[in-house]
Amino acid sequence: MQVRFTAKGMPLAVRHDGRVWAVAAQPVHWFSRDSWWDTRRTAPVGVGNVVDVEHWRVQVRLGSSISALRTFELRREPLSEQWFLTSITDN
């Protein structure tokens, strides 16, 4: 899965399952904490933030169509560039 962002860091589109889903409404952004004591994730001193998990909830539709909106919840683990799709719901 790939997420494309605007210059200001807002999600613009999501490529999932071979399709491009355009963000069609104001996304919701938040952070949660990684339970590092369970994952035993370690990092060298000065490497950066190793506990904040980034989340986005975006309402999307296929390309520039008028298809029904779907809600994707996205997650990115600390120190990772990879985005994961945690849920999809139909609106």
Side-chain angles (χ1 to χ4, degrees), residues 43-64:
V45 173
V47 76
N49 184 338
V50 296
V51 295
D52 285 335
V53 178
E54 187 174 7
H55 302 267
W56 284 96
R57 181 178 299 129
V58 294
Q59 288 188 307
V60 296
R61 63 175 35 123
L62 279 174
S64 59

Side-chain angles (χ1 to χ4, degrees), residues 9-77:
M10 299 289 284
L12 182 63
V14 177
R15 180 180 296 277
H16 169 65
D17 202 23
R19 296 176 163 181
V20 175
W21 298 81
V23 175
Q26 184 69 28
V28 177
H29 187 221
W30 74 95
F31 290 88
S32 64
R33 295 293 216 182
D34 182 36
S35 55
W36 56 267
W37 54 89
D38 288 335
T39 61
R40 309 245 189 278
R41 185 184 333 256
T42 61
V45 173
V47 76
N49 184 338
V50 296
V51 295
D52 285 335
V53 178
E54 187 174 7
H55 302 267
W56 284 96
R57 181 178 299 129
V58 294
Q59 288 188 307
V60 296
R61 63 175 35 123
L62 279 174
S64 59
S65 71
I66 57 169
S67 67
L69 286 174
R70 300 184 92 182
T71 301
F72 286 4
E73 286 204 17
L74 312 173
R75 181 188 86 244
R76 185 174 69 171
E77 298 295 322

